[in-house]
Amino acid sequence: MNYSIISYIIGWILNFEALFMLLPCIVAVIYKESSGWAFVLAMLLCLLIGIPLTQRKPKNKIFYTKEGFVTVALSWIVLSIMGALPFIFSGSIPNVIDAVFETVSGFTTTGASVLPEVESLSHCILFWRSFTHWIGGMGVLVFLLSLLPLTGGGYHMNLMKAESPGPSVSKLVPKVQSTAKILYGIYLALTLLEILFLLCGGMPVFDALTTSFGTAGTGGFGIKNDSIAGYSTYIQVVVTVFMILFGVNFSAYFLIISGKLKQALHIEEIRWYLAIIAIAIITITINVYHIYGSIAESLQQVSFQVASIITTTGFATTDFNTWPEMSRTILVILMFVGACAGSTGGGVKVSRFVILMKTIQKELRQYLHPRSIKKIKMDEKLVEHEVVRSTNVFMIAYVLVFAFSALFISFDNHDLITNFTSVAATLNNIGPGLELVGPTQNFSIFSGGAKLILIFDMLAGRLELFPILLLFTRDTWKKF
Amino acid sequence: MKIIILGSGKVGRTLAEQLSNEGHNIVMVDIIAKKVQDITEDADIMGVLGNASSINTLLDAGIETADILIAVTGSDELNLLCCLIAKKVSKCHTIARVRNPVYSKEIGFIKERLGISMIINPEHAAAIEISRLLRFPSAIKIDTFAKGRVELLKFKVKPEFHLDQMTVMEVAERYKNNILICAVERGDEVSIPSGNFVLRDNDIISIIASPVNSALFFKRIGIHTHQVKSTMIVGGGTLSYYLAKLLLAMKIRVLIVEANKDRCEQLSELLPDATIINGDGTDKNLLLEEGLTRVESFVTLTNLDEENILLALFAKKNSNAKLVSKVNRIAFDDIIEGLDVGSVVYPKYLTADYILQYVRAMQNSIGSNVETLYQILDNKAEALEFSVHEDCPFLDTPLAELNIRDNLLVTCINRKGKITIPRGQDSIQLGDTVIVVTTVKGLHDIKDILKNK
């Protein structure tokens, strides 16, 4: 293990976190809030650790897959702990575990909160909560890669692989740095576009910024107690559309920019993604029509909820916990499906399900024609056996992590639906679940131990299990 | 520039790594998934899986917007075909590796009528390199600039040269010669020497000079510089054939030892003036019998790297011949350098080097002014040839008045074919080409030789 390069990169992560904290400081200055000092203090602490680490140039710049994964996992943990400091210093969330839970929930774009009400928080704290979504959405190491001229061959691809979601991560252009720049460029452009649309709808600037950060990272922290419900229909529709857009594989946007619109529309995963959304909206609308009365009203409410759940954002405009059982079940299933690979969303990812379905189809065919040979294809390209295998292993690991988490938090003695959906909501980075963790409730009901399990789930879910699991493997830390 | 490389063999990989480090955008195409995977993990490039001669694969790799296509797959015909297809959809330059001697006589046709920009034949390139070394046996390595008018020679300082403890300035004064010591390797250290740098025995020094002056210098310090009169080649492959042909043309006696009878007969048909011995090249007695102790140069060109190195070591013990060995595998080059077996030629590196030079020259035409670029001294230093245009801010200013970077030497000015080793009062003029040796990497323009203000 090349510790010098790992500490070097973590040092940069801390420096960048200090840079990120500058924004809430500015907010504090604008609104003349004293809690801004909490950020100044946290910034100084970040720099105090970060600068010495970056001053020491690593002797050996090479790092392999394991260093990549460990760096990413450690970076996210360090990022979360330092990011929790302002909450503690300002007294908004005095409990350490609660503060870390809130921050992890922010960076992993989960949006699960321990706060029963948020409107009393200061603007800079609210801004930081939402801004963590934006940083975590595309990933902080991708950000690092786009700015730091790290040399040393293709090794940095390992960082991107570990942080970007999806069964197989590939570059858009030959250079990692250019790829990272393009991704952040698209991300920034879409976010600005949403801010613009929201401002057109008469939303206050602060609300437009925080809501856009929440949508862009598919996070879900609101700045109002009733999430998005209090805003106008226009704003809700804009947020719905942008949630769906941020759940799309970003390589599709790259294709569109490079003038290959037709190719972008033919990506199989996106077609499935849109089809699933459409089917879910239609079914649930029929099911809940009697609650809202008008078709337009129920269609709008349902599409917001469906988009929010499948992209794993977690905003809410209505309490879907009170919907009929069938609708609730569909929503829970959507939690697992998640967004597209290469988007900012969480969950298992549509492409993994497509691959798994095709694997099942292939297996069934094998029973009918035992000697037949059938390769799995996606977008008319062969899916490598390696990818199929890792998808299968991912699913198994996912189910195991899920089962054990649900078991451990059941010690708190809440009902099964609460336990089940709270793990689903954190492992898939959604936010609200059902019953006691429904959209109008929060996660403060859990004990400290259960919260630690859920923190683990959020990180594992965001980094797609393996980087975090690798930290807990003994061989990772052995010298040889 | 955007460069597509077809084939991720050793040459393809070397090119990909080097060009990507120089800042180009590289797309590598190969048909084996594992290889594409490996190279994208080792270098910052993009991999495309597929058959290189399929137009769809090439389009996937972005052939329409590419500047250069380099075809270095294992097959000559495939390389040519890929270049032809690429030419139909793109304006890119195409480079193909073609090694079959049959085609080597048709390079003119291929370049002109098929529109391929460059044909590289690794064996032929290696043969030229070896023949150059045999013409000048004291040098370990020779690179040429300004179309051969300037040479960069690398050799080891031996006690009998009496250069030990002399400064670079004293060397220049004592031998009153128009040469310049431009780099010194001592152990792992590489320095660009200033006037009062003290030389020691066993330093490996690089000098820059015109061929006449370098010959004169070597004569004065007592190295015999005559080209060898006889050579013994072990192994009778394509490379040996090319080499023998070149050497015979230089009136050097050639003896080839080859184990395969049929091949011996072929060779004797192709090379009527050479002596062909049918026998095992690793047979000590055979080599001694054929006069290993008296031969002036000994070249090992079998297909086995280990055999080549062992034979060279054996010859080193039994004769004073100039030794040249061919090594295919490039992974352990640093180990072999440490063995002191004379000159080692890596056909794969050579191929990559030639292509790199072409790419750099092309880049020159679109922005940078680098004519030639050599990575010298184990890639720790660069020798660059710049052309001087109107926009050079210090035309006609004496070099002594310029604030030139540390670790950088202006080694040579080529003014309309006349080579001068510049002194302080000399100046750079419009239309010159200037050769610079430096450990600072990434210079693009003659302006870059100045310190940043």
Side-chain angles (χ1 to χ4, degrees), chain A residues 199-267:
Chain A
L199 288 177
C200 289
M203 205 180 199
V205 178
F206 184 78
D207 299 33
L209 280 174
T210 46
T211 310
S212 300
F213 291 154
T215 326
T218 67
F221 275 149
I223 54 163
K224 295 280 189 314
N225 289 339
D226 59 359
S227 192
I228 309 291
Y231 294 107
S232 68
T233 314
Y234 166 80
I235 286 175
Q236 293 185 6
V237 172
V238 169
V239 173
T240 311
V241 171
F242 274 93
M243 282 193 292
I244 296 175
L245 287 181
F246 279 109
V248 169
N249 194 331
F250 272 46
S251 60
Y253 297 123
F254 179 67
L255 285 175
I256 293 173
I257 294 171
S258 21
K260 295 175 186 159
L261 183 67
K262 215 171 154 192
Q263 220 173 316
L265 293 176
H266 275 85
I267 297 179

Side-chain angles (χ1 to χ4, degrees), chain A residues 30-153:
Chain A
I30 293 171
Y31 288 93
K32 302 193 177 59
E33 288 166 341
S34 59
S35 42
W37 290 109
F39 287 97
V40 176
L41 198 60
M43 261 168 81
L44 288 177
L45 268 172
C46 285
L47 291 176
L48 205 66
I49 311 174
I51 289 179
L53 286 180
T54 46
Q55 284 305 312
R56 218 166 35 119
K57 287 267 177 291
K59 292 170 286 252
N60 177 358
K61 286 204 165 187
I62 293 172
F63 60 105
Y64 299 105
T65 318
K66 63 175 176 198
E67 276 91 358
F69 275 59
V70 168
T71 309
V72 169
L74 287 178
S75 300
W76 278 75
I77 291 171
V78 168
L79 196 69
S80 305
I81 291 171
M82 299 310 277
L85 294 178
F87 292 123
I88 301 171
F89 292 155
S90 67
S92 319
I93 311 173
N95 184 318
V96 176
I97 293 184
D98 281 358
V100 173
F101 184 94
E102 196 78 5
T103 323
V104 170
S105 168
F107 279 121
T108 60
T109 73
T110 307
S113 182
V114 288
L115 298 169
E117 67 95 35
V118 293
E119 280 168 28
S120 65
L121 292 176
S122 61
H123 283 88
C124 55
I125 291 283
L126 282 176
F127 185 89
W128 177 241
R129 247 167 52 107
S130 296
F131 193 58
T132 51
H133 281 330
W134 197 80
I135 303 166
M138 190 49 81
V140 67
L141 284 142
V142 177
F143 187 77
L144 204 70
L145 285 174
S146 70
L147 289 183
L148 276 193
L150 292 163
T151 48

Side-chain angles (χ1 to χ4, degrees), chain B residues 159-179 181 199 216-217 220-222 423:
Chain B
E160 59 263 33
F161 302 164
H162 306 294
L163 291 177
D164 194 25
Q165 301 305 334
M166 274 174 82
T167 65
V168 170
M169 196 95 82
E170 284 165 355
V171 175
E173 275 166 20
R174 182 185 299 183
Y175 296 106
K176 300 229 179 326
N177 200 287
N178 224 352
I179 65 128
I181 299 175
L199 298 177
L216 210 63
F217 172 73
R220 288 194 182 151
I221 64 170
R423 308 284 170 214

Side-chain angles (χ1 to χ4, degrees), chain B residues 195-215:
Chain B
N196 35 27
F197 186 93
V198 182
L199 298 177
R200 300 227 189 98
D201 281 343
N202 290 326
D203 283 352
I204 293 174
I205 65 176
S206 298
I207 63 161
I208 204 152
S210 62
V212 184
N213 281 327
S214 59

